Amino acid sequence: MKSTFRFLFLFSMWLLPQIAGAIEPPPQKPAIQWIVNDFPPFLVLSGEGMTVDISKAKGPFASIYQEIERALPAYSHRFVRVSFSRAEKLFSGQGGYCTVLLQRTKEREKFLIFGDELARAFPVGLVVHAKDTPGIRDEQKDVDLKELLASGKFRLGVIQSRAYTQQIDDILSHSGHATKIVGDSAMGNLFLMLERKRVNGVLAYALEKTDYERNNIAVPPLKFLKVKNMPNHISVWASCEKSLRGEQILKDLTRAVREKNVKRKIYKYFMQELPPDMKKSYRDLYESPP
């Protein structure tokens, strides 16, 4: 009897830790909070609210985010829809915030650390009505934006807190009432304002114009003007908040984007979508050194 009791006692001492281990919740994964926003056609989000289901998003950067999520299983991933201006405040904290869709600027380097260049694109241009735009000749192919805005008669639509390149950002900062500032994620609204002639032109990427025309059949003829004195391209980078946590995440993120060959995939997307007369220039741009 004593031996039976002793066996049961020892067995229970062994069993209790096993039961405790079975019911104890697994250790919590460190989190990455991805800052995302609607950026058609590159990233198109579905649903409303702040939290985004990235599996339902569309566009090349939606696919990239989904691949990165699978490549970093040691992290939990939360995708947060936040405006450009609000994002800057979040990046200044310690919340594990990252993104793959921002340009690198001196101002952003104050609160962000940057990893790999993920994509190159031709810079924004000025989208206007093909005919009868104030200050623009119908046959015109490029524009001196500083001179145009200095006239005080041209109403320009822009996205608040979007980085357009240092050259354009400097012009906008001194343009005063000539510029119409519109809220974040409002590219579609800007094009609608242009259609209704509430603004005379909007700053946009060529593929943003193409995407809007593709999805809105009754759009009047628009044209894309190059802005003079611009760099030959802009880049977007993997980036995380400037903190110890952000540094660790960025190391893992850099490894993932290299393994997934993200830059090549974005290049293929542009080569598929760009007009034929722009493809050679883009191929040369992609192949040029950083």
Side-chain angles (χ1 to χ4, degrees):
M1 186 72 176
K2 287 182 179 179
S3 62
T4 302
F5 177 78
R6 180 179 175 79
F7 170 76
L8 291 173
F9 176 77
L10 292 174
F11 179 72
S12 67
M13 291 299 98
W14 173 84
L15 185 61
L16 284 173
Q18 312 309 313
I19 296 173
I23 63 176
E24 184 178 337
Q28 191 172 9
K29 294 180 180 180
I32 304 177
Q33 301 204 75
W34 297 101
I35 298 293
V36 294
N37 217 318
D38 283 297
F39 190 12
F42 312 108
L43 180 61
V44 183
L45 306 178
S46 63
E48 301 293 334
M50 188 172 178
T51 302
V52 169
D53 183 349
I54 201 67
S55 68
K56 296 181 180 178
K58 302 198 180 297
F61 277 95
S63 300
I64 296 305
Y65 274 123
Q66 291 160 16
E67 285 200 51
I68 290 173
E69 182 176 15
R70 290 190 293 269
L72 297 175
Y75 292 92
S76 64
H77 299 260
R78 180 171 179 249
F79 295 85
V80 186
R81 188 198 317 255
V82 178
S83 67
F84 288 114
S85 52
R86 171 65 177 153
E88 292 184 2
K89 296 176 183 177
L90 293 177
F91 280 128
S92 300
Q94 304 283 321
Y97 288 98
C98 297
T99 186
V100 299
L101 266 174
L102 288 181
Q103 291 185 58
R104 186 172 188 167
T105 67
K106 290 183 179 180
E107 185 62 30
R108 287 172 176 170
E109 286 177 345
K110 294 177 183 177
F111 51 84
L112 283 171
I113 49 176
F114 291 85
D116 283 14
E117 180 190 54
L118 298 191
R120 291 181 180 183
F122 294 122
V124 296
L126 181 65
V127 180
V128 298
H129 285 272
K131 294 185 177 181
D132 302 324
T133 295
I136 302 291
R137 303 184 307 277
D138 289 352
E139 70 278 8
Q140 198 165 325
K141 302 296 183 183
D142 56 18
V143 62
D144 185 322
L145 187 64
K146 183 177 181 179
E147 182 180 286
L148 182 66
L149 295 182
S151 71
K153 299 177 181 178
F154 192 91
R155 292 164 297 165
L156 177 67
V158 300
I159 300 291
Q160 187 176 10
S161 295
R162 177 185 272 193
Y164 286 102
T165 70
Q166 191 63 53
Q167 292 88 335
I168 287 183
D169 293 344
D170 287 344
I171 293 171
L172 295 180
S173 68
H174 296 95
S175 63
H177 67 279
T179 302
K180 176 73 176 180
I181 304 295
V182 183
D184 298 284
S185 304
M187 203 66 241
N189 291 340
L190 281 181
F191 281 125
L192 187 59
M193 291 174 69
L194 177 61
E195 280 191 61
R196 297 175 178 176
K197 299 190 175 182
R198 292 173 56 193
V199 294
N200 303 122
V202 301
L203 288 174
Y205 294 99
L207 288 184
E208 287 181 308
K209 169 183 173 290
T210 302
D211 182 69
Y212 184 76
E213 291 170 323
R214 181 187 299 154
N215 292 296
N216 296 272
I217 303 171
V219 177
L222 303 175
K223 66 178 179 180
F224 181 90
L225 300 175
K226 292 183 178 180
V227 177
K228 292 181 179 179
N229 303 316
M230 289 283 281
N232 67 342
H233 75 278
I234 60 97
S235 299
V236 296
W237 306 76
S239 56
C240 291
E241 65 188 36
K242 186 178 281 189
S243 67
L244 291 176
R245 185 176 176 183
E247 287 178 11
Q248 182 57 55
I249 295 172
L250 188 61
K251 287 179 183 177
D252 295 332
L253 173 57
T254 298
R255 171 182 52 78
V257 299
R258 289 176 182 175
E259 288 177 356
K260 297 297 180 181
N261 205 358
V262 168
K263 189 173 180 179
R264 181 71 181 177
K265 289 175 180 176
I266 298 299
Y267 164 74
K268 288 182 177 179
Y269 167 78
F270 273 100
M271 288 299 288
Q272 175 182 314
E273 295 293 322
L274 284 170
D277 61 337
M278 297 179 72
K279 290 186 178 183
K280 183 185 183 303
S281 296
Y282 189 71
R283 185 182 301 111
D284 294 341
L285 176 63
Y286 174 80
E287 293 174 353
S288 64

